[in-house]
Amino acid sequence: MAAHFGRLRKGATTTAVAAVAVAALSASQAPGVTTDDLGRQSAGSAQPSGDANTGGEGGGATGDSPYYTDLPPLKSPNPSPSASPTTGTTVSVGDGEAGIPATVLDAYKKAEAELRASKPGCNLPWQLLAAIGKVESGQARGGRVDASGTTYSPILGPKLDGNGFALIADTDNGAYDGDPAYDRAVGPMQFIPSTWEWAGRDGNGDGKKDPNNVYDAALAAGHYLCRFDRDLSVQSQMNAAILNYNNSTEYLNTVLSWLEYYRKGTHEVPDGTGTLPSHSSNSDPASPSPSTPATPSTPSTPSTPSTPSTPSTPKPGGGGSTSPTPKPPAPTSPAPSPTPPTPTQTVDHLEDADTGKLAATAGSAFGAKVAVRAESKASKGVAKVRVRFTIIGDTDATFTGGESVATVVTGSAGTATAPALVAGEKTGDFTVRATVVGRVLGGLDYTATVTPRQADTLTRTGDTPLTCVPGGEFADQVELKATYKGAVAGKVAATATLIKSADDPTENDKGPYFKDADGKTIRTLTDLTTDADGVLKLPKLYADDATGTFLLRVNTTGGAVLTVELKVAAAAS
């Protein structure tokens, strides 16, 4: 990533231009602000305009802790015309930097959805959370999180002891950061404990507010950015929100560069495989970096040594040459031990877990649920793996709660069961697809079928004879009630036809008739539907000049049939 800085200074492409423009914009919004050589605002500098409130601490959410200064590649990711098989959304391919670990990306999008519902005027884009997450922790150290979104080990910034950083004495007795003397920024979004105490959120619904959980941290960051009724679609208000998160113009420029990059396209990568940044704003080499150390670069080939000079004669009693004694090489730091694979990384395939037949009548719940088992190569169940269930196809069926996507964590046996399916009004087949979140593996597809609503019985709601004189109209309209297995059969499709006889169900060409919207004679009605109470009331009937007894037959989906007699006779003299 060092090359990015050199290329940026040459001002070659879009990212460079955007960063310069942002810097100019930021400077115009914060007159009188001075910065040190790291881009951090100096003590006593003016508060950026547009946000006079800091939320109780001068360093915003992070206490102005160090952050990653790596910039995105100058070449933006190219959108792919294909769609993701698990989400149906367009994804991008190309630079590894465009990949965001699956669980981390899911957390950002869930936070955006929650803020869209609770604070719609904020217009928070998930890409902003992704940009901040990249700069603060390298997307939770490349997605080193478990199935619930919690980091495998805490992500901690350096002690805020005033030695090169802000001075923030301990506020949590070490509860969040493990330090009883000074506060340290904690978690994927690097909240200091005093801010987390009031800004923390429960983003994954486990009843806890954990700064080391990416769902909790992303939702908290979203609410923090959306304070003061900000509208983040307004650039000045977005800038103020970012500066309030970490009060540094360089930080603002870096975040906005990643925001622009992610807006041009990104894609999921498996958890634990994200690209780790290597450059930090921390200039103090003694201070710990919150990230996994980057792989050291290959040392350059040493130049050919010059011919050594003749050593001078040692002084009497001096005990050695006057030439300086070469210093021993500094001890090489041991390579970090390999990190064991996450449960998700050990999954080899998905197996069906005795899913029953997926069939339901429109408007009712399916009796069976989709169940799968995550297995290793040895066909052993793998626990704590996130499985995504997605409804695909032309259907209005949903999972319980109205969602078309559900994510479930596998249990101790490796099994995940999707929420119950609820059929809508659209009939036909659709697909439920199960995939492992954070792995590129083949999924399992299940076919579900929605059949039309049915009725097995039709009865008239009244018993008044239906009579009419030639050329007149029937005084009473035909009204029926449909039931299915004794229960009301609402929204059932029906057809009504004036037939020739009980043995000939073809349409009659004489006798009673209905009228269409233009007043024309029709003797068959289609697209009829019972109401919610199972009642079907037919339009008015009219009679032509033919006399006698005529038949009206009504059929419903499910096989219910009722034949009604209609009599046309001259009036008695």
Side-chain angles (χ1 to χ4, degrees):
M1 295 298 290
H4 298 159
F5 290 100
R7 290 158 63 190
L8 180 64
R9 293 189 186 104
K10 295 177 183 178
T13 61
T14 306
T15 304
V17 174
V20 172
V22 167
L25 175 61
S26 304
S28 68
Q29 292 177 335
V33 175
T34 59
T35 62
D36 58 21
D37 58 355
L38 294 176
R40 180 175 289 111
Q41 292 182 358
S42 302
S45 61
Q47 174 71 19
S49 62
D51 188 8
N53 300 291
T54 62
E57 70 283 327
T62 69
D64 288 347
S65 292
Y67 55 88
Y68 289 115
T69 58
D70 291 21
L71 291 172
L74 295 178
K75 182 179 179 182
S76 297
N78 298 317
S80 168
S82 62
S84 166
T86 58
T87 63
T89 56
T90 301
V91 298
S92 299
V93 296
D95 294 298
E97 294 287 359
I100 298 177
T103 299
V104 180
L105 180 60
D106 188 51
Y108 296 149
K109 292 185 176 181
K110 275 187 167 57
E112 179 200 53
E114 196 279 342
L115 267 298
R116 191 187 307 123
S118 62
K119 296 183 179 180
C122 179
N123 295 306
L124 170 75
W126 66 261
Q127 291 91 342
L128 176 57
L129 296 176
I132 291 176
K134 181 71 173 182
V135 171
E136 291 293 350
S137 68
Q139 310 299 17
R141 291 177 177 166
R144 298 294 303 168
V145 296
D146 62 19
S148 67
T150 302
T151 58
Y152 285 109
S153 59
I155 300 176
L156 299 174
K159 294 181 180 181
L160 299 177
D161 56 5
N163 184 20
F165 312 110
L167 174 60
I168 303 179
D170 176 67
T171 61
D172 65 333
N173 293 319
Y176 293 121
D177 55 15
D179 191 329
Y182 298 98
D183 272 352
R184 303 172 72 170
V186 183
M189 304 304 275
Q190 289 289 278
F191 279 94
I192 57 174
S194 58
T195 302
W196 183 261
E197 192 62 32
W198 59 265
R201 294 291 192 280
D202 177 14
N204 63 350
D206 64 356
K208 297 184 294 183
K209 299 176 182 179
D210 182 2
N212 288 300
N213 181 278
V214 69
Y215 287 95
D216 295 358
L219 184 58
H223 278 279
Y224 188 94
L225 294 165
C226 287
R227 294 183 305 157
F228 313 129
D229 295 324
R230 291 189 183 109
D231 179 358
L232 300 186
S233 65
V234 178
Q235 189 63 52
S236 61
Q237 295 190 39
M238 177 182 284
N239 292 352
I242 297 170
L243 285 169
N244 192 205
Y245 202 90
N246 192 316
N247 198 13
S248 160
T249 303
E250 183 190 16
Y251 180 86
L252 170 67
N253 297 341
T254 307
V255 168
L256 289 179
S257 295
W258 281 106
L259 169 63
E260 181 67 17
Y261 183 73
Y262 286 141
R263 275 177 164 165
K264 291 179 179 178
T266 185
H267 60 277
E268 281 186 7
V269 296
D271 289 343
T273 65
T275 303
L276 292 175
S278 57
H279 295 85
S280 173
S281 66
N282 177 11
S283 62
D284 181 2
S287 298
S289 170
S291 70
T292 303
T295 303
S297 58
T298 304
S300 57
T301 304
S303 58
T304 304
S306 58
T307 303
S309 58
T310 303
S312 60
T313 304
K315 294 181 180 179
S321 169
T322 58
S323 301
T325 303
K327 294 182 180 180
T332 304
S333 300
S337 57
T339 305
T342 66
T344 300
Q345 291 170 330
T346 66
V347 177
D348 178 71
H349 59 276
L350 288 177
E351 286 288 337
D352 177 59
D354 297 325
T355 300
K357 183 179 180 181
L358 299 174
T361 302
S364 64
F366 284 71
K369 297 180 180 179
V370 178
V372 299
R373 176 179 152 98
E375 295 186 352
S376 64
K377 284 186 178 180
S379 297
K380 292 184 178 181
V382 183
K384 297 183 179 179
V385 173
R386 297 172 65 83
V387 176
R388 178 183 295 143
F389 298 93
T390 307
I391 295 174
I392 301 171
D394 183 18
T395 181
D396 54 357
T398 64
F399 293 112
T400 301
E403 299 294 332
S404 60
V405 178
T407 303
V408 180
V409 178
T410 58
S412 58
T415 301
T417 302
L421 286 164
V422 179
E425 295 304 319
K426 289 186 178 180
T427 59
D429 295 343
F430 64 91
T431 299
V432 179
R433 178 168 296 164
T435 55
V436 176
V437 176
R439 287 300 304 276
V440 181
L441 295 174
L444 293 181
D445 284 353
Y446 294 85
T447 299
T449 303
V450 179
T451 57
R453 296 172 184 260
Q454 302 179 27
D456 55 16
T457 306
L458 277 174
T459 57
R460 279 191 65 194
T461 58
D463 55 6
T464 304
L466 299 170
T467 61
C468 183
V469 297
E473 64 180 54
F474 287 80
D476 297 311
Q477 291 176 244
V478 179
E479 185 175 276
L480 312 173
K481 184 163 186 177
T483 57
Y484 182 70
K485 296 182 178 180
V488 168
K491 299 182 180 179
V492 175
T495 301
T497 306
L498 291 153
I499 61 176
K500 289 183 177 180
S501 70
D503 298 325
D504 186 357
T506 58
E507 181 181 290
N508 207 337
D509 56 359
K510 61 182 178 179
Y513 61 90
F514 299 105
K515 291 182 180 180
D516 64 12
D518 298 325
K520 295 181 180 179
T521 298
I522 56 172
R523 289 189 167 89
T524 298
L525 297 176
T526 58
D527 299 327
L528 301 173
T529 306
T530 62
D531 65 15
D533 297 321
V535 174
L536 175 63
K537 190 171 185 177
L538 300 182
K540 276 190 175 184
L541 278 162
Y542 301 87
D544 59 14
D545 294 336
T547 60
T549 300
F550 301 90
L551 300 179
L552 169 66
R553 180 162 292 174
V554 182
N555 300 272
T556 70
T557 303
V561 180
L562 180 65
T563 302
V564 180
E565 284 191 351
L566 305 172
K567 292 185 178 181
V568 180
S573 57

